[in-house]
Every structure is written in C-alpha cells, then in structure tokens.
Amino acid sequence: MNPDEKTRRLTRAELHNNEERVKHALRDQLAELASLLEVLLALLVLIGLVFGMVPMLKWMPGLLQDGNTVDISTFLQRALDIVIGIEFIKMLAKHSPGSSLEVLLYAIARHMIVGHESAMENLLSVVAIALIFVVRKYFFVPSFGATMPGGKPAPDLVTKQNFEDDSNSEDDPDNTFV
C-alpha cells in the first residue's frame, strides 16, 4: 500500500476552507454569547430600576404634604435616571440608531432639567438637542439599523412606517367616507 493512500495530505485551499469554517462558527457563537450577555445586562438594569423606584414610592406622601425644593429635585433626578435606564434597556433590545439617539436625548434633557448649570452649559445642551433632531431628520439613513439581527424590521422604524402609511391613506380620496 502506498503511504500517500494511507494518509491523505490536505491541500492549502482545503486547509484554508476548513480554517474559514471554524472562524465563521466561532464568530457566530461569540455573537450569540454577546447577545445573551446583552439580554442579561438589560435584565440586571431592569431589576436595578425596579429597586430604584421603591424609594420614590416612599417619597410620594412627603411630596404631597410638604414638598420642599430639595425633595422635589431629588425626586426628579431619580425619576429621570429611571427614564434614562428604561431608554437604555430599549436601546439594548432594539439595536437601532434611533434608540441610541433617544438615550442621548433623554440624558442631555436630564442634565438640563435637574442640573444647576451655567447659562453657557444650558446653551450647549440646547444646541446638542437641536443637533440630535437635525441628525435624526436629515442624516438618519433608514437602511442603517433598519433590520434587527434576525432580519426583522426594527420596531421603531416599523412604527414610523405604519404611522406614515396611515397618514397617507387619509389623503387618498378612495378611503374617505361619504
């Protein structure tokens, strides 16, 4: 028996193809693991937000009776932190640029509302919020982030498209009632 028949040597192309298959499989497994960790992080943030709401509920009777400015300020800070946390969870779930812009918008708005900043810092915050709206209106490319990892359309873009479809149907004379 010929030694070549016993042990077949792989060609360079076959080795490269095998290596690429292994790399692809490892990348897929890493992406799945990262997605799982992302869901776990979102769950931990959600649990933390629920625990963060407990003191707010305890403060409610005090705010109704004799709420002073320190109590109201602390209450607003905590409430806006929870809103930002909720938007952060949505950002992790949606994976769309629109949800990232919303988190930035709420964070800047929180900074403006509860922070006691100078007029210049408030002006910069207003400019930043205006810039977010400009980016959303003119530079936001719908195809970027339009689909979720499974291929489904992003929820925030589907809602926007349904709204636009409804508003267009009102202009259609065939849809009017007589």
Side-chain angles (χ1 to χ4, degrees):
M1 188 174 249
N2 191 354
D4 290 336
E5 293 175 6
K6 256 187 184 180
T7 58
R8 182 178 173 270
R9 294 187 68 187
L10 295 175
T11 64
R12 226 170 212 214
E14 290 172 331
L15 283 173
H16 180 70
N17 289 339
N18 287 341
E19 182 180 318
E20 289 301 314
R21 273 192 301 245
V22 170
K23 281 184 194 177
H24 186 67
L26 286 174
R27 284 185 187 131
D28 288 346
Q29 289 177 353
L30 284 174
E32 289 294 321
L33 181 61
S35 294
L36 179 64
L37 287 174
E38 207 170 45
V39 170
L40 289 174
L41 175 65
L43 184 63
L44 286 174
V45 170
L46 181 64
I47 291 169
L49 291 176
V50 170
F51 286 147
M53 288 175 62
V54 172
M56 287 181 60
L57 295 174
K58 291 179 182 177
W59 294 338
M60 291 298 287
L63 288 174
L64 293 174
Q65 292 171 0
D66 61 346
N68 60 24
T69 57
V70 175
D71 291 336
I72 293 171
S73 175
T74 305
F75 184 80
L76 278 177
Q77 286 175 358
R78 185 70 61 109
L80 289 170
D81 285 342
I82 290 172
V83 168
I84 291 170
I86 291 168
E87 287 300 320
F88 178 71
I89 291 171
K90 288 162 89 178
M91 180 185 74
L92 289 175
K94 288 183 181 180
H95 285 204
S96 70
S99 58
S100 300
L101 289 175
E102 288 175 15
V103 170
L104 288 173
L105 184 66
Y106 283 113
I108 294 169
R110 181 217 181 268
H111 175 74
M112 279 182 61
I113 292 169
V114 297
H116 303 288
E117 310 300 332
S118 68
M120 183 58 87
E121 289 175 343
N122 284 336
L123 178 64
L124 288 174
S125 295
V126 169
V127 169
I129 289 174
L131 187 61
I132 288 173
F133 282 115
V134 167
V135 166
R136 180 79 177 173
K137 175 85 174 165
Y138 296 107
F139 299 114
F140 189 73
V141 180
S143 62
F144 176 67
T147 59
M148 294 184 64
K152 296 178 184 174
D156 57 342
L157 295 177
V158 169
T159 306
K160 182 179 175 184
Q161 183 178 8
N162 290 342
F163 177 74
E164 289 172 356
D165 290 344
D166 290 344
S167 65
N168 288 341
S169 66
E170 292 173 4
D171 297 336
D172 189 8
D174 295 334
N175 284 342
T176 56
F177 294 101
V178 181

